[in-house]
């Protein structure tokens, strides 16, 4: 078990490093080269940064026993963000500033409604243990509708990019390399405060030595990923495919040895490893009073994960196989109800605290996740 867990989390850490250090800069280069607008850049960033989730669900669709893992890894990520990330953001905001920061009601209400509607539809989809092409198409088309709804609701042009782009917070590797006292010199973008121009900051980030823990990944990516953005994107996507395939192979072994469902592994263990960066983002957003940005980024990316990263692979798989997707994991339907309960409870607790990230709210959200984990464990 120790060896399997070590391999699992190590590969996930490498995947996080790949996404933050190579995929994001590659997408930025492509958006500049293609002269995309802010809206187009936001969409490209959101789609590109979800490649690991897309790959996970695509691979899970080609083996019926893995359907639950693909679903669990994506949906479990949302539960983790709503409880643990928001809970830690509340605790850190009180620790750093000795007061509760406030969230934006309009943006939170909009994204929560869409997220809950998507969860409700997924509950309906999973109820009969079969996914039809029509259901998958509806789920996929939710996202363009959400984009249109967001554009109508938003008052400022920049808000669109805020909700759908995964921004440049300090990466996990930067966090491992810095001492706590050095973090005082970082802003929310992971850049040193006081830098005179962007070029100096980028040069400093390039010169920074990565963590020795992930040295094999660092050497491999540096030697094999080209500077040409189109070719780099292809190589990065290939590495995402490889890392996801390794993690899913480990999951198969884990499920076989410990007799747990793939959905349970995805909903719990996979979400822990896949959201390491989100935990760091939440803590630094609280430190730098950027909670509104972090809130919109977290929920917006989770909406896309549900609608695109689940829906599109299902559509692709059924078009190839010419038949519906069936699965036999009874815990999935029960988990959907539990997940909706967790999200609704978390939302009402935020309203009860008047959208202030209080210390009390942080404790309650973390407690909710602990209860949710115990529930999922008992289901096994």
């Amino acid at each position: 078990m120790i060896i399997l867990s070590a391999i699992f989390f190590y590969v996930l850490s490498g995947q996080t490093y790949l996404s933050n250090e190579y995929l994001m800069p590659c997408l930025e280069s492509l958006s500049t080269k293609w002269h995309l607008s802010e809206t187009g850049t936001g969409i490209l960033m959101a789609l590109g940064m979800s490649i690991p989730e897309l790959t996970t669900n695509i691979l899970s669709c080609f083996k019926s026993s893995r359907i639950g893992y693909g679903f669990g890894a994506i949906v479990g990520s949302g539960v983790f963000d709503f409880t643990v990330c928001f809970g830690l953001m509340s605790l850190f905001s009180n620790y750093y500033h000795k007061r509760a920061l406030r969230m934006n009601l309009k943006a939170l209400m909009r994204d929560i409604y869409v997220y809950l509607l998507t969860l409700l539809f997924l509950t309906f989809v999973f109820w009969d243990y079969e996914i039809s092409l029509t259901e998958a198409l509806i789920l996929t088309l939710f996202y363009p509708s959400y984009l249109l709804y967001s554009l109508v609701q938003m008052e400022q042009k920049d808000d669109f990019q805020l909700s759908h782009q995964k921004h440049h917070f300090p990466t996990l590797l930067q966090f491992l390399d810095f001492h706590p006292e050095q973090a005082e010199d970082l802003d929310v973008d992971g850049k040193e405060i006081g830098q005179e121009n962007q070029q100096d900051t980028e040069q400093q980030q390039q010169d920074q030595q990565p963590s020795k823990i992930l040295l094999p990944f660092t050497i491999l990516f540096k030697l094999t990923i080209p500077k040409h953005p189109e070719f780099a994107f292809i190589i990065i996507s290939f590495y995402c495919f490889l890392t996801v395939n390794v993690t899913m192979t480990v999951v198969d072994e884990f499920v076989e040895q410990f007799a747990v469902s793939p959905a349970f592994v995805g909903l719990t263990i996979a979400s822990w490893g896949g959201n390491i960066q989100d935990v760091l983002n939440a803590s630094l957003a609280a430190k730098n009073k950027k909670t509104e940005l972090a809130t919109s980024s977290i929920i917006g990316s989770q909406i896309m994960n549900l609608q695109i990263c689940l829906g599109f692979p299902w559509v692709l798989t059924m078009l190839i196989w010419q038949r519906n997707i069936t699965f036999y994991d009874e815990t999935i339907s029960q988990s959907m109800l539990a997940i909706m309960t967790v999200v609704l409870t978390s939302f009402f607790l935020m309203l009860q605290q008047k959208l202030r990230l209080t210390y009390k709210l942080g404790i309650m959200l973390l407690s909710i996740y602990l209860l949710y984990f115990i529930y999922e464990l008992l289901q096994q």
Side-chain angles (χ1 to χ4, degrees):
M1 178 178 179
I2 296 177
I3 296 176
L4 288 176
S5 300
I7 294 174
F8 184 80
F9 285 110
Y10 187 75
V11 174
L12 280 179
S13 298
Q15 189 182 92
T16 301
Y17 174 63
L18 176 67
S19 297
N20 285 282
E21 298 298 325
Y22 288 93
L23 181 56
M24 178 63 80
C26 177
L27 294 173
E28 290 178 343
S29 299
L30 287 174
S31 64
T32 301
K33 185 175 181 179
W34 296 342
H35 305 290
L36 298 180
S37 64
E38 288 186 354
T39 297
T41 300
I43 295 174
L44 178 66
M45 291 291 184
L47 291 173
M49 288 302 291
S50 293
I51 286 178
E53 288 85 355
L54 271 171
T55 307
T56 297
N57 202 33
I58 288 173
L59 290 177
S60 70
C61 287
F62 285 94
K63 188 175 180 180
S64 59
S65 62
R66 288 178 170 178
I67 292 290
Y69 176 74
F71 153 81
I74 292 174
V75 179
S77 172
V79 176
F80 187 91
D81 279 349
F82 268 98
T83 53
V84 177
C85 288
F86 281 125
L88 292 176
M89 198 187 305
S90 300
L91 297 181
F92 283 126
S93 66
N94 284 271
Y95 173 77
Y96 288 125
H97 308 294
K98 308 303 180 185
R99 64 183 179 87
L101 301 179
R102 188 180 295 273
M103 292 181 286
N104 182 280
L105 176 62
K106 184 176 181 181
L108 182 65
M109 293 286 285
R110 178 194 66 235
D111 291 343
I112 285 286
Y113 285 153
V114 175
Y115 189 80
L116 286 174
L117 178 63
T118 307
L119 284 179
L120 184 63
F121 180 75
L122 284 173
T123 304
F124 168 77
V125 169
F126 285 118
W127 202 257
D128 58 355
Y129 309 109
E130 185 177 36
I131 305 167
S132 68
L133 180 60
T134 302
E135 292 169 338
L137 284 171
I138 292 174
L139 181 63
T140 306
L141 292 176
F142 272 170
Y143 194 68
S145 303
Y146 168 62
L147 295 183
L148 180 61
Y149 173 67
S150 299
L151 287 173
V152 172
Q153 290 294 316
M154 290 180 182
E155 298 177 354
Q156 298 180 354
K157 184 178 181 180
D158 291 340
D159 284 345
F160 179 85
Q161 193 174 7
L162 180 79
S163 294
H164 301 86
Q165 179 177 344
K166 289 192 175 181
H167 301 270
H168 268 306
F169 292 95
T171 65
L172 176 62
L173 271 297
Q174 289 175 314
F175 179 76
L176 292 175
D177 289 329
F178 283 130
H179 297 289
E181 61 272 13
Q182 292 175 301
E184 297 290 342
D185 298 328
L186 291 178
D187 66 4
V188 75
D189 291 326
K191 305 166 185 175
E192 288 193 4
I193 298 172
Q195 286 287 350
E196 294 181 357
N197 55 66
Q198 180 71 20
Q199 185 176 0
D200 292 341
T201 302
E202 293 176 351
Q203 184 63 40
Q204 180 190 12
Q205 291 177 349
Q206 291 174 1
D207 293 339
Q208 188 179 26
Q209 293 298 321
S211 172
K212 294 180 180 179
I213 299 175
L214 298 182
L215 187 59
F217 286 111
T218 304
I219 296 174
L220 175 64
F221 297 154
K222 187 175 182 179
L223 292 177
T224 57
I225 297 179
K227 294 186 179 299
H228 192 282
E230 283 87 357
F231 291 144
F233 183 78
I234 295 173
I235 300 298
I236 292 169
S237 300
F238 174 71
Y239 280 136
C240 286
F241 171 83
L242 289 182
T243 55
V244 168
N245 198 41
V246 170
T247 56
M248 295 189 74
T249 302
V250 173
V251 167
D252 288 341
E253 293 293 328
F254 190 89
V255 168
E256 183 177 347
Q257 288 188 25
F258 299 98
V260 295
S261 70
F264 171 76
V265 178
L267 286 166
T268 55
I269 301 174
S271 66
W272 301 342
N275 286 280
I276 295 174
Q277 183 67 38
D278 288 341
V279 171
L280 178 60
N281 292 352
S283 63
L284 291 172
K287 181 182 182 67
N288 294 280
K289 300 182 181 180
K290 299 292 184 179
T291 53
E292 183 177 342
L293 181 145
T295 300
S296 298
S297 179
I298 288 172
I299 303 178
S301 63
Q302 291 302 330
I303 289 173
M304 201 198 70
N305 284 347
L306 287 182
Q307 297 174 352
I308 298 296
C309 296
L310 283 180
F312 177 74
W314 290 346
V315 172
L316 182 64
T317 302
M318 283 183 277
L319 289 177
I320 294 174
W321 284 354
Q322 295 295 310
R323 60 183 175 86
N324 293 344
I325 297 175
T326 56
F327 60 95
Y328 304 99
D329 193 337
E330 297 181 358
T331 62
I332 290 182
S333 299
Q334 299 170 358
S335 295
M336 287 303 304
L337 296 177
I339 290 166
M340 289 191 64
T341 302
V342 168
V343 174
L344 279 172
T345 303
S346 301
F347 179 54
F348 284 129
L349 287 175
M350 294 176 187
L351 293 179
Q352 192 269 333
Q353 296 294 309
K354 299 179 180 178
L355 298 181
R356 292 180 298 116
L357 296 173
T358 62
Y359 182 81
K360 181 180 179 181
L361 176 64
I363 296 297
M364 289 190 294
L365 290 177
L366 293 176
S367 300
I368 288 175
Y369 187 80
L370 178 61
L371 292 174
Y372 165 75
F373 174 74
I374 292 174
Y375 169 80
E376 291 292 344
L377 190 62
L378 292 175
Q379 290 298 310
Q380 303 306 309

